[in-house]
Amino acid sequence: MDTGISTPSRIPSVDEILKTPPAQQAVARFGRTRAVEAIRQATAAVRRGIGAGEAPAASAEAIAADAVLWLETDARPNARPVFNLTGTVLHTNLGRAILAEAAIDAATVAMREALALEFDLAQGKRGERDSLVRGLLCELTGAEDATVVNNNAAAVLLALNTLAKGKEAIVSRGELIEIGGAFRMPEIMARAGAKLLEVGTTNRTHEKDYAAAISPKTGLILKVHTSNYRIEGFTKSVSGKAISALAHASHVPLLNDLGSGTLVDLARYGLTHEQTVAEAVAEGADLVTFSGDKLLGGPQAGFIVGKRELIARLNRNPMKRALRIDKIRLAAIEATLRLYRDPDRLAERLPTLRMMARPLADIEAAAARLRPAIAAAAGSHFTAVVIACASQIGSGSLPSEVIPSAGIALSATATRGKGRALTALAAALRTLDQPVIGRVENDALVLDLRCLEDEAAFVRNLATLHVEERR
């Protein structure tokens, strides 16, 4: 009588394993080709175990179960949602801004339906995709015209290539920044075909430095927001208004790269005032570039607003087509921009702003509620205490701004091997169905709760936590 249990000398055939209920379910879920591949992987593992002198379970059912586990693990998407408990609201490595529900709905419609992307419904003929957002951008910034590309680095690249290719681009030495991923402003300028002309010093640049540098070789003056660092102490910089007056007197365009860029005064929400795009336009900048997925709280994009004649020149540049964005992001951008028409309800509708402006008392209350569940999940080898901590905006936005927050600090109870224990705990949290990402600080794993909104889902997720190393 065949019990279905094999001996080390016999491993069930693929056909035998395919007849088991787990394997049949795998075929239904993943297809026969993938199921067979997984079964072969599982039988090979059993064969290796036997060869190593082990006695692994080798029944047809057990091998099928291993194959199903392999398939389920392999089917997990690489782009997985995580709980961002790092304390950085706009975390570049975690996708930056979370989109508003209105933007998600608009993007979903754009994915499911044909869209009037480059079609003028009024005239019944070909249109421009920028027209979907141009009016909103002009309304919210006070600019004459606007265009959009795939990120802010691309926006700067396009503007430099259009206005300063083969010419000099004047910029203060204190503004020659390096952004994430080792992308440096001088290298972007070189790729655009512009010749970098540095003026001033690292910490002090005067109006006379710009004036002395302007010549017939000048293509533009570039003002760069030092969004990811601050120079303090003995410093001097020239305002956008002063540079604008100088540039216009010399008939040279001024490009103001705001980097993150905000459409509202953040001081209204208890944060440090950051120059708005409208303020930069009002100062007289001919072009202003800024991001869509940072302070604006939308999808990744680079906006360029400013003088109509200059925007037209950008749009005629063949490079513009290579940098354009798709219908899905355009739909999400339009929906995000429309939220700014109602500033009184913006913080409750825009996740980025809601998280930045979240009251400290709310976060402290959440920490008190969640501490028992976090402590229980971590186990007796760790202590869990509510702590005061500091969040940051991130992604080069308001680099010197820290926001009081609260969280849970997990520390190892053992006197030895604390570092290994914390490493194991952080690794275990990353293996959860929805990985939890915190930060190690002062010999503790800190879970900053500023960005945690779905507490119930977080607690359910913790239920499967298993820490391998507890020494």
Side-chain angles (χ1 to χ4, degrees):
M1 176 175 164
D2 185 2
T3 63
I5 304 296
S6 70
T7 66
S9 61
R10 181 180 181 276
I11 298 174
S13 68
V14 171
D15 286 340
E16 287 179 81
I17 299 169
L18 280 170
K19 294 175 183 177
T20 65
Q24 291 173 4
Q25 292 169 10
V27 170
R29 290 174 60 191
F30 303 103
R32 182 180 176 83
T33 300
R34 293 289 289 158
V36 169
E37 179 186 355
I39 289 169
R40 285 175 175 159
Q41 293 261 11
T43 54
V46 170
R47 193 172 290 109
R48 287 193 299 270
I50 293 172
E54 301 171 2
S59 71
E61 290 270 355
I63 294 174
D66 287 344
V68 170
L69 181 62
W70 184 88
L71 286 167
E72 288 175 341
T73 301
D74 186 64
R76 281 184 173 181
N78 292 326
R80 293 170 61 191
V82 304
F83 285 106
N84 175 15
L85 304 189
T86 63
T88 300
V89 178
L90 296 170
H91 201 300
T92 298
N93 304 117
L94 301 181
R96 292 185 180 168
I98 295 174
L99 299 191
E101 288 300 319
I104 295 169
D105 291 342
T108 301
V109 170
M111 285 187 279
R112 285 195 175 128
E113 308 286 350
L115 204 69
L117 179 64
E118 293 182 355
F119 187 80
D120 187 328
L121 292 171
Q123 301 296 324
K125 59 182 183 181
R126 185 187 178 106
E128 296 180 2
R129 65 178 62 196
D130 283 0
S131 64
L132 297 179
V133 296
R134 178 184 291 116
L136 284 163
L137 285 167
C138 292
E139 173 190 328
L140 295 168
T141 66
E144 292 179 4
D145 204 352
T147 190
V148 58
V149 289
N150 58 5
N151 61 25
N152 189 56
V156 175
L157 179 70
L158 178 63
L160 287 168
N161 180 260
T162 303
L163 304 180
K165 183 179 180 181
K167 298 181 179 181
E168 293 175 345
I170 300 171
V171 62
S172 167
R173 283 189 175 89
E175 297 175 0
L176 290 174
I177 64 171
E178 177 182 306
I179 58 177
F183 287 95
R184 297 177 174 180
M185 184 57 71
E187 293 172 357
I188 293 174
M189 296 174 77
R191 293 290 182 178
K195 299 176 181 178
L196 169 64
L197 181 58
E198 304 174 35
V199 298
T201 63
T202 302
N203 61 319
R204 292 179 69 82
T205 301
H206 303 268
E207 189 173 342
K208 64 182 180 181
D209 295 321
Y210 288 100
I214 296 174
S215 74
K217 298 178 182 179
T218 303
L220 58 74
I221 298 176
L222 173 63
K223 182 171 178 58
V224 183
H225 188 291
T226 55
S227 57
N228 56 2
Y229 76 98
R230 287 282 188 270
I231 297 177
E232 298 180 350
F234 187 56
T235 64
K236 176 71 171 69
S237 62
V238 185
S239 69
K241 185 175 182 180
I243 300 176
S244 174
L246 180 64
H248 295 164
S250 304
H251 305 289
V252 173
L254 169 62
L255 168 61
N256 190 344
D257 173 26
L258 288 182
S260 293
T262 178
L263 297 178
V264 294
D265 182 1
L266 296 177
R268 174 175 182 170
Y269 305 98
L271 302 167
T272 300
H273 174 76
E274 181 86 346
Q275 184 181 42
T276 67
V277 179
E279 288 170 348
V281 170
E283 279 185 342
D286 298 287
L287 293 176
V288 179
T289 60
F290 58 103
S291 294
D293 58 340
K294 296 182 181 178
L295 292 177
L296 195 141
Q300 179 179 297
F303 299 109
I304 313 171
V305 301
K307 297 295 175 60
R308 185 173 292 109
E309 183 272 331
L310 296 181
I311 295 293
R313 287 176 62 184
L314 300 185
N315 286 330
R316 289 195 297 269
N317 188 329
M319 187 182 289
K320 170 66 188 304
R321 182 177 180 86
L323 301 175
R324 70 182 183 180
I325 60 177
D326 69 306
K327 66 174 184 175
I328 301 168
R329 274 194 284 171
L330 272 171
I333 288 167
E334 179 186 1
T336 302
L337 292 174
R338 288 186 181 278
L339 296 178
Y340 281 86
R341 285 176 157 176
D342 186 2
D344 293 335
R345 291 187 289 177
L346 184 61
E348 65 184 77
R349 295 177 172 180
L350 196 66
T352 294
L353 192 54
R354 183 170 66 241
M355 291 174 187
M356 289 192 298
R358 188 177 179 187
L360 177 59
D362 288 357
I363 308 172
E364 290 173 335
R369 286 192 299 271
L370 291 170
R371 193 206 67 79
I374 293 173
S380 60
H381 292 270
F382 296 92
T383 60
V385 297
V386 175
I387 63 165
C389 55
S391 303
Q392 61 181 359
I393 306 303
S395 290
S397 305
L398 304 177
S400 60
E401 176 90 352
V402 292
I403 316 171
S405 187
I408 306 297
L410 290 159
S411 304
T413 55
T415 56
R416 297 177 60 186
K418 288 186 176 182
R420 291 195 305 273
L422 283 180
T423 298
L425 177 59
L429 286 168
R430 294 196 302 271
T431 65
L432 293 174
D433 288 341
Q434 185 164 346
V436 175
I437 315 296
R439 68 177 188 265
V440 175
E441 187 175 272
N442 298 325
D443 294 325
L445 178 62
V446 176
L447 305 180
D448 187 319
L449 301 179
R450 173 169 293 279
C451 296
L452 178 62
E453 296 192 311
D454 192 342
E455 294 181 21
F458 176 71
V459 171
R460 288 195 301 272
N461 189 57
L462 282 180
T464 59
L465 181 65
H466 176 68
V467 186
E468 293 291 342
E469 175 62 63
R470 293 197 172 184
R471 294 193 300 272

